[in-house]
């Protein structure tokens, strides 16, 4: 099977066929499929199975297609019907082979889960809107393809799962109730600023995740000498929102006669909240 890396149709992702089969059917079913292919038992049937998995995969990895199918019940029914038709054709060809039947059972379960996903998604979206709209404007709650695609990765370009929802709070005091709402909804919370990190800190690892984008939180105060807890003398301090670009803080410090000793290469794009969260320093931090 090593020579056949891309038999699943529409697979333009970084996932191999093995990884897709494992995600949709399980590791045991990949081993079984590999075994059958090595015995040349499932030629045409394997191609049809890959077509089924390819149709499911391309929708799962393309939020625009998912939104189109969510909005069009007839088109969705046609796709599910085509998937089930291919599985029936495999059943006709299996010639009593119990191992092929085992693969079919797993594929039928995957199609059933795929079908349920749309109703489950529509219901959860409605619930998310109801709960979170109490704390921020409704248009700050984004389920659309563009929002999800632009928040699936950061500078690493690792793409694990698309977020379920992206939140764009207007004010800092919205954050705490939004966090409580996400916990109530069972959503994993991913804070995100400029998305310039190379550590994967802003990457959703579960499909049931909410990215809270802090880029609107751009309040910035003056540099002040403040005696901080645990310090014996006053320190030059500036209070900013999490979404303030790092370079703006450095400029404010320079204007007050100080050097802001944090200098990541992404200073013109990264946000101060992410610098603090990820302990991003840059070459000047050691000085």
């Amino acid at each position: 099977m090593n020579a056949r890396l891309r038999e699943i149709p529409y697979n333009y992702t970084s996932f191999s066929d093995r990884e897709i089969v494992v995600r949709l059917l399980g590791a045991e079913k990949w081993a079984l499929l590999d075994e059958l292919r090595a015995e040349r038992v499932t030629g045409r049937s394997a191609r049809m199975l890959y077509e089924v998995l390819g149709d499911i995969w391309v929708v799962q990895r393309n939020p625009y297609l998912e939104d189109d199918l969510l909005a069009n019940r007839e088109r969705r029914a046609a796709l599910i019907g085509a998937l089930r038709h291919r599985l029936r054709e495999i059943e006709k060809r299996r010639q009593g082979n119990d191992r092929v039947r085992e693969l079919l059972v797993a594929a039928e379960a995957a199609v059933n889960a795929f079908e349920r996903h749309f109703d489950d998604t529509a219901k959860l979206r409605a619930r998310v809107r109801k709960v979170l709209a109490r704390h921020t404007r409704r248009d700050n709650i984004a389920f659309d393809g563009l929002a999800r695609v632009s928040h699936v990765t950061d500078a690493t370009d690792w793409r694990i799962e698309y977020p379920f929802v992206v939140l764009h709070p207007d004010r800092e005091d919205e954050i705490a109730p939004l966090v409580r709402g996400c916990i109530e909804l069972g959503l994993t919370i991913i804070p995100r600023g400029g998305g310039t990190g190379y550590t994967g800190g802003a990457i959703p690892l579960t499909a049931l995740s909410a990215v809270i984008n802090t880029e609107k939180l751009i309040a910035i105060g003056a540099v002040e000498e403040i005696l901080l807890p645990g310090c014996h003398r006053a320190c030059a301090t500036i209070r900013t929102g999490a979404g303030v670009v790092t370079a703006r803080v450095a400029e404010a410090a320079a204007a007050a006669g100080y050097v802001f000793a944090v200098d990541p290469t992404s200073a013109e794009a990264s946000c101060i909240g992410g610098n603090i969260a990820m302990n991003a320093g840059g070459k000047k931090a050691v000085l």
Side-chain angles (χ1 to χ4, degrees), residues 7-28:
E7 287 191 280
I8 293 180
Y10 320 120
N11 182 19
Y12 304 108
T13 69
S14 58
F15 289 80
S16 67
D17 284 355
R18 182 190 66 80
E19 290 170 310
I20 294 171
V21 172
V22 169
R23 282 170 73 97
L24 297 179
L25 304 184
E28 291 182 1

Side-chain angles (χ1 to χ4, degrees), residues 88-101:
R88 287 194 296 270
E89 290 300 310
I90 297 173
E91 173 64 30
K92 291 177 183 177
R93 291 169 168 77
R94 76 179 180 91
Q95 297 177 332
N97 190 315
D98 290 335
R99 291 180 297 172
V100 175
R101 178 60 188 161

Side-chain angles (χ1 to χ4, degrees), residues 113-130:
F114 180 64
E115 183 177 27
R116 288 194 305 272
H117 165 79
F118 294 99
D119 285 336
D120 292 345
T121 296
K123 290 175 183 175
L124 184 54
R125 285 187 179 186
R127 187 166 172 241
V128 168
R129 285 192 188 95
K130 181 179 179 181

